[in-house]
Amino acid sequence: MTNSTGVEGVENLSDAAWLQNPGLYTLGGYHQQSRSYQMYFPVPLQKVGLQDQLTMDSYGTDTVKDLDQTSEEEYATQSKLIKEFITIPSIDKAWIFNSGSGPQAMVAMSQANLLANKRRKFMLSGHISKESSNLSVNFHWAPFPVEMTGASAFAPSPSGLKLLVVRNPDDKESPTKFEIWSSSQLEKEFHIPQKVHGSVYVDGWFEGISWNSDETCVAYVAEEPSLPKPTFDHLGYYTKDNVGLDKAIGSWKGQGDWEEEWGEAYAGKRQPALFVINVDSGEVEHIKGVPRSISVGQVVWSPSSKGVAEYLVFAGWLGDKRKFGIKYCYNRPCSIYAIKFRDASSGSDEPKDDAKEAFPIHNLTKSISSGFSPLFSKDGKFLLFLSAKTAVDSGAHWGTESLHKINWPSDGKLSESTDIVDLIPVVNCPDDGCFPGLYVTGLLSDPWLSDGHTLMLSSYWHSCRVILSLNMLSGELSRASPNDSDCSWSVLALDGDDIVAVCSSPVSVPEIKYGKKVVDPAGRPSWQWLDIQNPIFKSSEKVTSGLSSLEFKILKVPISNVSECLTKGAKKPIEAIYVSSSKSKENGICDPLAVIVHGGPHSIAPCSFSKTLAYLSSIGYSLLIVNYRGSLGFGEDALQSLPGKVGSQDVNDVLSAVDHAVEMGLADPSRITVLGGSHGGFLTTHLIGQAPNKFVAAAARNPVCNLASMVGITDIPDWCFFEAYGDRTRYTEAPSPEDMSRFHQMSPISHISKVKTPTLFLLGTMDLRVPISNGIQYVRALKEKGIEVKVLVFPNDNHPLDRPQTDYESFLNIAVWFNKYCKL
């Protein structure tokens, strides 16, 4: 479970005036004539003619009721401000290349495009100059970024002299486009038809685009070609001779066999398969020898050496029996595989002949239940990989990770068994102030310092994200980002021994930082962090003003009801990030408090910038962002203490954090709201049932409200069993009456009779993780009780509710809903 528009285009609106017009707000509701939920674009109120032109037939009864209760001025004011926050750009990736004139930086960024309901992708490049005398660093950015229109992914070559741009089609008929760019022009363009493969996987587990060392080939993961489907002629007769018949008048394609998919975010996607394209000829080779039971991803090339076989190394997930949802789920068994691409024994550098028998596939990690993110050491002697074996073995959808290595044979001859060496083991109960375990999710394509054995990576450390340095020879692990910083840091790229990173906090937008390596008298490295010229974020005056008075701190909250059966790590205090305005201290009056609970439950809300939460802070809300036990970043003992106790231990942790804030004088107990999505929505609806007098308003995004009704229709039914019982072996496709009783007992709906809190629900019709019926059932039960409820349904959104228009409208309505009951 994760933290947590329906319209693709604009019609009947003159130009783009609504983005600048002060009289805007969004309408949504149930369309009586078409009997469906619909979304409506924000339109100028004066053009709508509110009192005269809105009718129950055109907008639905709920919308008219809301308009009577909420002033159009507030929607207008809030819509202008949230637009400024939603459109703040994000830093996605970065690369550093060394050219004749010195290092060059290339930064990939994205920005919400509200009109198109998509995200713009663009590149910003710059030259890096250094002054050795005073350790200063200057970034000379290009005057403007370059938009990568229609680009699905881009991958610079190892030398930085070529850039691969992938453009996936918007439909299932058009070809995928591969473009090879040089520093000054488009060199080659190849169109890959659907009969070769479908769209390239560019995000999630199956993402994988990798150049080989001599930059002649690119390996990548894409949808395998469509399986043949039955064809029927104009008389309705089945025919085997279907060549060209599918386009004949009166003929049609049958549906074919149903195939399992990988759930949320992968609906409609075909099996991921491995391909290699020759960047000179454009010839595409489908790598044979990988069974269909293995879904491939994260491909890399083995080290290149004359006379040595060249391999493709990749992660593979088994899906031969049942494909559970894999998005956000690290508990799916996976291994590192290798398959030969070139046969060195023939003395030829040409790819293998398709007519020959496929090379055998090698499982390199048979002795461990999880292996992903393969990466070769700089000298090619070792293959590193991450493992989420604690998640796979226990059943938690995410757990504390570990880092391992295996020796790579210099002669290119792989053996049937490999010895796996632990580099960073799982941490169960960290000592105070010490490393709490690894929570990485992925590695840079080139994370090595110049010594070849020091690895740089980013990981969660309690409520922050930090940059770590691992010496593979000594095993020493140290913190490269500032020890005294409560901000979140992520490494973007390496410039020799220096680090290009991004840093942000709940009250500061992301900024690029430059870390200069220095060595202490004992020979230990550390990094001196420098601010650089940063033209990337030109925040508006409204954003700057809204953030200027904000501050944050991390609260240590003692847990209540400590049980003797708890492990040592599960008895330690939890953390909550408290965000507030300095102006409220001057006035001596507490701002209303919004309690934020993350999803998962095995996830984390880090001390980093969130556009939507910063927006709530800027309009007068203090935030209490709770990392309850079960969150990442605190060791495996604390994480594993929650399964089997959801709806009780996590609820008590949140209530302890709220009471702690009230006791410290940080919150007014009469003005507290709560907001969460997915498992955070599970907690939100639990909290308003178990503490009915605590919260004046609530908002739940795709919430889990009833495990008993969810288990049969979600893409992760195993999650319901594990979190309810704390035992992965209890899972079955046919829950017993006892199972259903336990699911109901542990669900928010079991406390529905006590709920008093007015609640806003935000639901996505395309959600496979927590299908919309789960929220609708709870909504109807609240309405039956006469509780005030508002529901927004987004017809084309899945679980995260993160498309630009959806993000915009969700938090606009959350703000107005909270304001209504907090009397701002």
Side-chain angles (χ1 to χ4, degrees):
M1 308 303 296
T2 70
N3 298 325
S4 26
T5 359
V7 187
E8 291 290 352
V10 181
E11 294 181 2
N12 301 323
L13 285 177
S14 60
D15 55 61
W18 70 272
L19 280 176
Q20 291 80 34
N21 195 293
L24 306 176
Y25 80 105
T26 308
L27 301 174
Y30 188 80
H31 193 281
Q32 301 286 358
Q33 293 175 340
S34 63
R35 296 184 180 180
S36 63
Y37 286 97
Q38 293 193 2
M39 296 287 298
Y40 303 92
F41 262 87
V43 293
L45 300 182
Q46 62 270 24
K47 292 186 179 181
V48 174
L50 274 176
Q51 303 305 320
D52 301 321
Q53 297 182 31
L54 290 183
T55 66
M56 289 172 56
D57 282 341
S58 63
Y59 289 99
T61 56
D62 286 348
T63 302
V64 174
K65 180 180 177 182
D66 290 339
L67 292 178
D68 291 340
Q69 294 176 347
T70 306
S71 70
E72 59 187 72
E73 290 82 6
E74 182 173 12
Y75 268 103
T77 301
Q78 296 300 339
S79 67
K80 288 190 295 181
L81 182 59
I82 191 173
K83 180 213 134 186
E84 302 288 346
F85 279 89
I86 290 291
T87 54
I88 294 174
S90 300
I91 300 173
D92 301 327
K93 294 182 179 180
W95 300 267
I96 304 293
F97 306 102
N98 288 310
S99 61
S101 59
Q104 303 282 334
M106 188 166 70
V107 181
M109 304 183 65
S110 58
Q111 184 179 22
N113 181 346
L114 283 172
L115 277 175
N117 202 15
K118 295 180 179 179
R119 295 195 66 82
R120 297 183 187 273
K121 296 182 179 181
F122 52 94
M123 289 281 196
L124 186 66
S125 58
H127 169 69
I128 305 174
S129 63
K130 307 176 186 179
E131 298 291 338
S132 57
S133 58
N134 56 7
L135 295 180
S136 67
V137 175
N138 295 312
F139 275 57
H140 305 280
W141 299 105
F144 302 102
V146 176
E147 184 172 6
M148 310 296 287
T149 306
S152 304
F154 18 82
S157 66
S159 68
L161 299 178
K162 298 178 182 179
L163 176 67
L164 168 67
V165 178
V166 178
R167 303 183 193 274
N168 282 328
D170 291 330
D171 57 76
K172 290 294 183 181
E173 303 298 326
S174 302
T176 296
K177 298 178 183 179
F178 278 59
E179 300 170 358
I180 308 295
W181 291 81
S182 67
S183 60
S184 60
Q185 64 184 13
L186 175 65
E187 287 192 346
K188 297 178 185 296
E189 181 177 359
F190 306 112
H191 291 200
I192 315 300
Q194 288 283 326
K195 65 180 180 180
V196 177
H197 64 66
S199 296
V200 176
Y201 280 85
V202 296
D203 57 20
W205 278 118
F206 307 123
E207 175 185 5
I209 301 175
S210 178
W211 289 79
N212 65 351
S213 59
D214 62 9
E215 302 186 356
T216 58
C217 293
V218 174
Y220 60 95
V221 178
E223 296 176 291
E224 68 176 6
S226 297
L227 295 176
K229 293 183 178 181
T231 304
F232 303 90
D233 65 16
H234 65 287
L235 297 175
Y237 298 147
Y238 170 77
T239 175
K240 293 182 179 179
D241 184 18
N242 57 13
V243 178
L245 195 61
D246 55 332
K247 296 184 179 179
I249 297 176
S251 66
W252 74 91
K253 286 277 190 183
Q255 294 304 309
D257 294 341
W258 171 75
E259 284 196 86
E260 289 265 17
E261 298 173 331
W262 284 106
E264 173 71 21
Y266 290 105
K269 285 187 174 291
R270 304 197 294 268
Q271 173 83 6
L274 190 55
F275 299 85
V276 172
I277 185 170
N278 185 301
V279 298
D280 292 324
S281 66
E283 180 182 354
V284 175
E285 179 180 355
H286 183 181
I287 303 301
K288 299 179 180 179
V290 181
R292 289 199 80 250
S293 59
I294 297 175
S295 294
V296 305
Q298 304 173 351
V299 59
V300 296
W301 293 86
S302 68
S304 177
S305 180
K306 189 174 179 60
V308 177
E310 191 171 18
Y311 285 84
L312 293 168
V313 180
F314 54 91
W317 288 263
L318 289 175
D320 50 345
K321 294 182 180 179
R322 161 75 192 260
K323 290 181 179 177
F324 292 103
I326 199 171
K327 184 80 169 178
Y328 318 115
C329 296
Y330 291 78
N331 59 338
R332 308 305 176 209
C334 54
S335 297
I336 303 295
Y337 297 92
I339 192 167
K340 193 182 295 183
F341 178 68
R342 287 191 173 102
D343 191 352
S345 62
S346 66
S348 171
D349 285 338
E350 293 300 315
K352 63 185 178 64
D353 187 345
D354 281 350
K356 296 180 181 178
E357 185 177 350
F359 289 126
I361 185 172
H362 302 267
N363 186 339
L364 304 179
T365 57
K366 291 179 181 178
S367 62
I368 192 169
S369 58
S370 171
F372 58 95
S373 292
L375 172 74
F376 281 96
S377 59
K378 212 171 185 68
D379 58 12
K381 293 182 179 180
F382 303 108
L383 175 66
L384 279 75
F385 66 93
L386 290 168
S387 175
K389 57 188 176 65
T390 58
V392 174
D393 296 345
S394 70
H397 83 283
W398 198 350
T400 312
E401 297 167 343
S402 50
L403 181 67
H404 310 267
K405 73 173 182 178
I406 58 177
N407 292 327
W408 187 259
S410 58
D411 59 3
K413 297 179 180 179
L414 298 178
S415 62
E416 289 301 316
S417 61
T418 54
D419 293 327
I420 297 175
V421 178
D422 294 348
L423 292 174
I424 302 179
V426 172
V427 176
N428 290 312
C429 179
D431 293 331
D432 292 344
C434 294
F435 174 63
L438 198 61
Y439 308 89
V440 177
T441 73
L443 302 170
L444 294 178
S445 58
D446 184 12
W448 303 101
L449 298 187
S450 60
D451 60 17
H453 58 256
T454 302
L455 175 75
M456 307 303 299
L457 64 163
S458 306
S459 179
Y460 295 116
W461 187 309
H462 292 183
S463 293
C464 297
R465 192 164 175 83
V466 301
I467 301 174
L468 300 174
S469 167
L470 171 66
N471 186 313
M472 291 184 56
L473 300 182
S474 66
E476 182 180 2
L477 184 71
S478 59
R479 193 161 162 172
S481 51
N483 288 325
D484 59 352
S485 173
D486 282 338
C487 298
S488 282
W489 297 71
S490 293
V491 57
L492 291 172
L494 299 180
D495 180 16
D497 287 338
D498 301 331
I499 303 173
V500 178
V502 60
C503 171
S504 74
S505 79
V507 302
S508 59
V509 297
E511 292 185 330
I512 293 180
K513 303 284 187 179
Y514 194 89
K516 289 283 294 181
K517 182 184 176 184
V518 294
V519 179
D520 66 15
R524 291 187 296 265
S526 62
W527 281 264
Q528 178 182 342
W529 290 97
L530 309 173
D531 295 328
I532 63 172
Q533 303 92 329
N534 201 337
I536 295 174
F537 294 109
K538 297 293 186 183
S539 299
S540 69
E541 290 184 9
K542 295 174 186 175
V543 170
T544 303
S545 174
L547 297 177
S548 62
S549 64
L550 298 179
E551 54 191 23
F552 77 99
K553 57 184 175 182
I554 299 175
L555 306 179
K556 300 285 187 180
V557 182
I559 63 172
S560 59
N561 302 320
V562 178
S563 168
E564 290 298 325
C565 65
L566 288 175
T567 59
K568 180 181 177 182
K571 296 178 182 179
K572 294 190 173 184
I574 62 171
E575 289 186 354
I577 306 164
Y578 178 70
V579 184
S580 63
S581 170
S582 58
K583 295 179 181 178
S584 64
K585 292 182 180 179
E586 297 172 4
N587 299 332
I589 301 174
C590 291
D591 289 332
L593 181 72
V595 178
I596 312 297
V597 282
H598 66 72
H602 311 302
S603 181
I604 186 172
C607 272
S608 57
F609 188 73
S610 163
K611 302 168 193 177
T612 48
L613 295 186
Y615 158 69
L616 287 180
S617 299
S618 72
I619 64 172
Y621 285 89
S622 295
L623 305 180
L624 188 69
I625 307 167
V626 185
N627 284 317
Y628 46 86
R629 279 172 295 169
S631 301
L632 305 177
F634 297 86
E636 190 65 10
D637 281 358
L639 187 146
Q640 291 291 347
S641 71
L642 180 58
K645 303 173 187 173
V646 293
S648 56
Q649 178 177 292
D650 44 5
V651 169
N652 289 333
D653 283 357
V654 175
L655 291 175
S656 294
V658 174
D659 292 341
H660 185 72
V662 172
E663 290 168 4
M664 293 180 66
L666 303 177
D668 177 352
S670 67
R671 293 198 298 171
I672 300 177
T673 64
V674 61
L675 163 65
S678 192
H679 187 86
F682 173 87
L683 287 176
T684 296
T685 45
H686 254 304
L687 286 162
I688 61 176
Q690 295 190 43
N693 299 314
K694 182 79 73 173
F695 305 96
V696 297
R701 309 176 72 221
N702 281 337
V704 177
C705 298
N706 187 350
L707 291 168
S709 63
M710 172 181 159
V711 67
I713 54 176
T714 177
D715 67 332
I716 54 167
D718 60 317
W719 180 90
C720 300
F721 281 87
F722 178 71
E723 297 300 342
Y725 284 105
D727 181 0
R728 66 189 298 270
T729 64
R730 296 296 299 257
Y731 172 72
T732 173
E733 293 283 357
S736 67
E738 292 76 16
D739 293 332
M740 301 301 278
S741 175
R742 184 172 180 87
F743 291 154
H744 182 271
Q745 173 191 348
M746 302 189 77
S747 297
I749 203 164
S750 66
H751 299 279
I752 195 91
S753 63
K754 296 174 284 185
V755 176
K756 303 175 183 177
T757 308
T759 305
L760 168 66
F761 290 84
L762 305 126
L763 309 174
T765 302
M766 308 302 290
D767 189 352
L768 300 180
R769 186 60 42 97
V770 186
I772 188 174
S773 58
N774 210 254
I776 292 296
Q777 180 194 22
Y778 191 87
V779 166
R780 287 172 172 157
L782 288 181
K783 285 188 172 183
E784 186 178 56
K785 281 177 44 61
I787 304 301
E788 190 168 0
V789 172
K790 180 176 180 179
V791 182
L792 270 69
V793 171
F794 301 94
N796 296 313
D797 273 81
N798 54 15
H799 193 57
L801 297 177
D802 59 358
R803 299 205 305 165
Q805 289 176 7
T806 305
D807 220 16
Y808 170 92
E809 184 165 356
S810 294
F811 280 85
L812 171 62
N813 279 275
I814 288 170
V816 173
W817 185 256
F818 284 179
N819 287 352
K820 176 180 177 182
Y821 298 98
C822 289
K823 297 180 174 60
L824 278 189

